[in-house]
């Protein structure tokens, strides 16, 4: 008796029958990057879930045009923007934002479970190389684009009563209670790099709290569950903490090419560049919106 559960992956022959197309057309769509597919040992495989999503998007000109799903890196300005846009639209559309950390967000995007992934992965001046290099590690990246949202200040968050001691005695940091992030989060990567530069081994710090978002990091320090942790200036200011800047980083969106043209996404770029968006960024502190909406990387374009 055959297994009634269909395989999650289809061959060219399976996909052709499923889509009622001839195999030559399926090959062409896959080669041109229009049909979700991956090559394994020279043979095309088609994820059934992504094919179904592609059908819905193609058949209804974007069936989910009334909602946009975000994941990836946590950011106060992005949260504020999405909430205010929904209110302006009188809640006729949904912007959903689940901060998961950079790499977890890219994994969700590769599975077709979200529309946009927010990323940050090092210094702003290195992001044009680092971000595409990271993105290329994920299936489907040739169909994605990278769009700049803003620059923001990344550093260390701590309570005001601890700042003088910690800054004057770097070795005292090993005795303090740290908030660390999950692996794959851009802030965790920042923390490890910064500790290495200070000749402070990551495995020697006292990690008292593991936080999944910047908000959780700031909250743990504000509630005296920890003394210091990585994060942005905006997150520190929100919780009344002292912020020690280390560098400026690029905060960008990874988006499937067809999603880039959705009205809901373009409205996000418009709002961030509006007087209200810029005023909100100024109040939160630490943001530079000068290149908001700029296309940074196109997955179809090969580097020379």
């Amino acid at each position: 008796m055959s297994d009634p559960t269909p395989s999650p992956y289809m061959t060219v022959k399976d996909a052709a029958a499923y889509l009622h197309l001839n195999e030559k057309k399926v090959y062409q769509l896959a080669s041109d990057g229009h049909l979700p597919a991956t090559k394994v040992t020279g043979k095309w495989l088609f994820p059934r879930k992504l094919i179904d999503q592609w059908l819905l998007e193609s058949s209804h000109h974007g069936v989910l045009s009334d909602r946009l799903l975000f994941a990836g890196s946590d950011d106060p300005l992005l949260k504020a923007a999405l909430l205010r846009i929904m209110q302006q639209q009188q809640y006729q559309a949904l912007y959903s934002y689940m901060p998961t950390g950079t790499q977890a967000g890219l994994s969700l995007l590769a599975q077709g479970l979200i529309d946009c992934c927010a990323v940050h992965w090092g210094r702003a001046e290195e992001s044009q190389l680092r971000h595409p290099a990271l993105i290329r590690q994920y299936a489907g990246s040739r169909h994605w684009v990278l769009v700049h949202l803003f620059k923001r200040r990344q550093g260390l968050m701590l309570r005001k009563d601890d700042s003088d001691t910690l800054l004057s005695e770097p070795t005292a940091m090993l005795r303090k209670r740290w908030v660390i992030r999950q692996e794959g989060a851009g802030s965790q990567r920042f923390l490890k790099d910064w500790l290495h530069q200070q000749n402070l081994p990551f495995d020697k710090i006292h990690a008292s709290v593991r936080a999944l978002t910047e908000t959780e990091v700031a909250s743990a320090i504000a509630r005296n569950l920890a003394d210091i942790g990585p994060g942005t200036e905006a997150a520190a200011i929100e919780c009344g903490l002292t912020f020690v800047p280390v560098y400026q980083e690029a905060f960008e969106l990874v988006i499937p090419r067809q999603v880039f043209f959705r009205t809901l996404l373009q409205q996000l770029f418009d709002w961030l560049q509006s007087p209200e968006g810029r005023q909100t960024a100024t109040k939160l502190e630490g943001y530079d919106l000068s290149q908001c909406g700029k296309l940074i990387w196109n997955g179809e374009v090969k580097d020379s």
Side-chain angles (χ1 to χ4, degrees), residues 174-230:
L174 291 178
R175 300 191 297 271
K176 293 296 183 177
R177 300 169 299 164
W178 282 81
V179 188
I180 62 172
R181 292 289 305 279
Q182 71 273 35
E183 291 301 319
S187 293
Q188 181 77 342
R189 181 189 184 282
F190 154 75
L191 176 59
K192 288 185 174 181
D193 284 353
W194 183 83
L195 288 170
H196 178 73
Q197 292 168 6
Q198 307 303 312
N199 294 316
L200 299 172
F202 176 78
D203 59 357
K204 298 297 183 183
I205 66 172
H206 171 42
S208 63
V209 177
R210 182 182 294 272
L212 297 180
T213 67
E214 287 207 355
T215 303
E216 287 187 6
V217 176
S219 175
I221 297 169
R223 291 183 293 138
N224 200 22
L225 300 176
D227 303 311
I228 187 169

Side-chain angles (χ1 to χ4, degrees), residues 5-11 14-15 18-19 36 45-55:
T5 304
S7 169
Y9 295 96
M10 295 186 286
T11 64
D14 296 334
Y18 192 65
L19 297 170
L45 287 177
F46 301 83
R48 189 178 296 271
K49 182 189 295 185
L50 297 188
I51 293 294
D52 287 341
Q53 180 180 326
W54 177 81
L55 279 171

Side-chain angles (χ1 to χ4, degrees), residues 59-76:
S59 301
H60 299 283
H61 196 59
V63 69
L64 301 182
S65 59
D66 63 343
R67 66 201 67 183
L68 208 59
L69 309 181
F70 291 76
S73 301
D74 189 15
D75 182 76

Side-chain angles (χ1 to χ4, degrees), residues 134-201:
L134 174 65
I135 293 165
R136 288 190 185 101
Q137 298 175 27
Y138 293 84
S141 61
R142 63 181 293 225
H143 311 302
W144 299 346
V145 298
L146 179 67
V147 182
H148 184 82
L149 278 190
F150 40 73
K151 293 177 184 176
R152 61 182 196 174
R153 284 195 282 271
Q154 177 71 257
L156 300 171
M157 300 188 287
L158 55 159
R159 289 185 304 282
K160 293 180 179 179
D161 56 349
D162 269 343
S163 58
D164 292 340
T165 302
L166 288 175
L167 296 177
S168 61
E169 301 176 35
T171 56
M173 293 187 179
L174 291 178
R175 300 191 297 271
K176 293 296 183 177
R177 300 169 299 164
W178 282 81
V179 188
I180 62 172
R181 292 289 305 279
Q182 71 273 35
E183 291 301 319
S187 293
Q188 181 77 342
R189 181 189 184 282
F190 154 75
L191 176 59
K192 288 185 174 181
D193 284 353
W194 183 83
L195 288 170
H196 178 73
Q197 292 168 6
Q198 307 303 312
N199 294 316
L200 299 172

